[in-house]
Amino acid sequence: MAVQKLPIAKAINESLRTALENDPKVLVMGEDVGKLGGVFRVTDGLQKDFGEERVIDTPLAESGIVGTAIGLALRGYRPVVEIQFDGFVFPAYDQIVTQLAKMHARALGKVKTPVVIRIPYGGGIGAVEHHSESPEALFAHVPGLKVVTPSNSSDAYWMLQQAIQSDDPVIFFEPKRRYWDKGELDTEAIPAPLHGAHVAREGSDLTLAAYGPMVKVCLEAAAAAQEEGKSLEVLDLRSISPMDFDSVQKSVEKTRRLVVVHEAPVFLGSGAELAARITERCFYHLEAPVLRVGGYHAPYPPARLEDEYLPGLDRVLDAVDRSLAY
Amino acid sequence: MTVDSADSTAAAQQARPPRKRAAAKKSSGTSSGTKKSPGGPELIQLLTPEGKRVKNATYDRYVADVTDDELRGLYRDMVMTRRFDAEATALQRQGELGLWASLLGQEAAQIGSGRATREDDYVFPTYREHGVAWCRGVDPTNLLGMFRGVNHGGWDPNSNNFHLYTIVIGSQTLHATGYAMGVAKDGADSAVIAYFGDGASSQGDVLEAFNFGAVYNAPVVFFCQNNQWAISEPTERQMRAPLYQRAQGFGFPGVRVDGNDVLACLAVTRWALERARNGEGPTLVEAFTYRMGAHTTSDDPSKYRADEERQAWEAKDPILRLRSYLETRTDTDEAFFADLDVESEALGKRVREVVRAMPDPGHLAIFENVYADGHALVDEERAQFAAYQASFADGEA
Ligand SMILES: Cc1ncc(C[n+]2csc(CCOP(=O)(O)OP(=O)(O)O)c2C)c(N)n1
């Protein structure tokens, strides 16, 4: 009964609905989130059911949205704000980095700013510029913020619940090209901890670590590799800050090889951090250097080139081959 | 001058909407329905919706030199632009473009203001200024590359003094202001015009641009097309005081012009540009108009606005308005309209052909122009990428 098959967008909608029902302090805010239900319809129907005081269409001003959400949080509310697309978060970046991230520390722990910032991110939908970026490392680099990203419906629902309940600011990246992928959701399950990685597929020859939109690509790669007799383990990191290095270490101690996959540029990306940590922790276990597959040091390209830019099956398998060749 | 505290409290109360919470709730923007302010008595108009010329003591002189031929030219601009826009919308529906932002209904605001600019002026558009691009002599097919997904721009901004489209809302108003500051430093007498929407007026960048423009007395015209909607959000969700009045608080004049009246838009923009050239600083022009289509081809306006609203605005169609005037007040004969039909169809055909033939960029375009002076990491990644791509070619051969 509690188990249903839902697309990720709908699971997030359900999660917001549950949060609004459970806690009168929860607010949903953003551009077009009301009547339109958001440009991806993720907030569809919420304003109709919870009213304009709880599901708030804001002026078109990201700094304003996050800045006022901080104020509402200081006043005891739990705002969940939507940034319409990844590339539009930057007008709010100042508020997020210079204010939201630091307020708890500056106030010696006396104030809390439980703001959740939902950002549809990543490419693969054929959009114009600023609609396909993966800026997660820019947020993960900032102390005081937590950064998470689900890859499936169940995580989308539960991780958002947990993010909203968290007293810390959470940047919640939603893999927009997976919004319509269906998956099982058990709304009565006991959810896994928000910041733990998850073994999405067991294997013994190599570990693929990914998150958000790239988990599916890695699962497909593992299925393809299986046909060639290679057994790949796929880890869904789920949380980028903090990152569950223990789970990765455990997996790498078993498989002895690690390939990290993300859409964001590789240079100084979250994969770089993981590679450094795992090299340090698993130096004597590793049979090959940790390899990374990701975006280039170039602006996200126009839509007609995004298939070349985005890590796909071939590039992941290529890295797997290179790792296994050591 | 200082104000005593009693006065400033009174002023503050006046500035705030004088209603109780419940009342404020009721009128809050999202349920705007069909009711819209028609623009108020402050709306500057030279042509009524029926196409009658009305006198205006202040602005008539800015269009006194416009000949019948030039009027027909404005009409042609609007028809051609609308035809181009319709073709692009159709091409999106046929899968040739990934997205299109239509200007339907905003032709007069764009052509009137665009034709007011001089060749050496500089234009900073958003992503919907297809009519202004037309006036600047940008080949319309160049506008389509970014919507097809083959590039992020598609033209050289300096060849027509028409900057690239800007998608991040409001950003370009600061670039325009800075450019204008440079123009002033150079001692040139050209002017700059920045386009943005009513939604954009909520962005900090736009308000900062107003302030920089004012403080540095920059020769910039802020041209807001208030098309009543920012995707699903009505203007009441962006502002509670008429937009044009905002200029006053920054220390420069603001005017509201009928954005569906091409002659009024031409006159008011000429006035504002003249002020800029004369060293009188910025002006805010609010062109009061209407977005007749969807926000973009991804949008479904039936979710948030009533059909009657659009119908009411159709009666103010900028093209029909000028046509009525041309038919009744000038000796424009049928042949002019018939020829224009042929010409606009030819444009549609050309656009269709060019778009369909538009090649995808080469793979290595990803790494082109990332830096002006080059970058070792980009070079390294380009080489790896090229080798990787070549490995497929080898496999296929
Ligand atoms: C900073 C930023 N936030 C959000 C968006 C998404 N978005 C694109 S257009 C738009 C509405 C713009 O409305 P308005 O400024 O009135 O201009 P119009 O499109 O109506 O011409 C929004 C919210 C964006 N492009 N940039």
Side-chain angles (χ1 to χ4, degrees), chain A residues 31-32 60 62 84 88 91, chain B residues 127-128 167-169 197-200 203 227 229-231 291 295:
Chain A
E31 295 158 11
D32 303 292
L60 207 179
E62 287 76 12
Q84 204 154 68
F88 307 145
Chain B
Y127 42 79
R128 205 191 286 286
I167 288 183
V168 179
I169 299 293
D198 44 296
Q203 289 283 358
N227 67 7
W229 292 92
I231 309 190
R291 183 194 89 207
H295 169 70

Side-chain angles (χ1 to χ4, degrees), chain A residues 61-63 66 83-97 117 119 130 133-139 173, chain B residues 168 171 203 205:
Chain A
E62 287 76 12
S63 181
V66 172
I83 299 292
Q84 204 154 68
F85 280 91
D86 34 67
F88 307 145
V89 71
F90 296 104
Y93 196 64
D94 169 34
Q95 285 289 342
I96 296 171
V97 172
I117 300 175
I119 308 177
H130 311 298
E133 293 161 21
S134 299
E136 63 272 13
L138 296 175
F139 293 90
F173 280 106
Chain B
V168 179
S171 289
Q203 289 283 358
D205 273 6

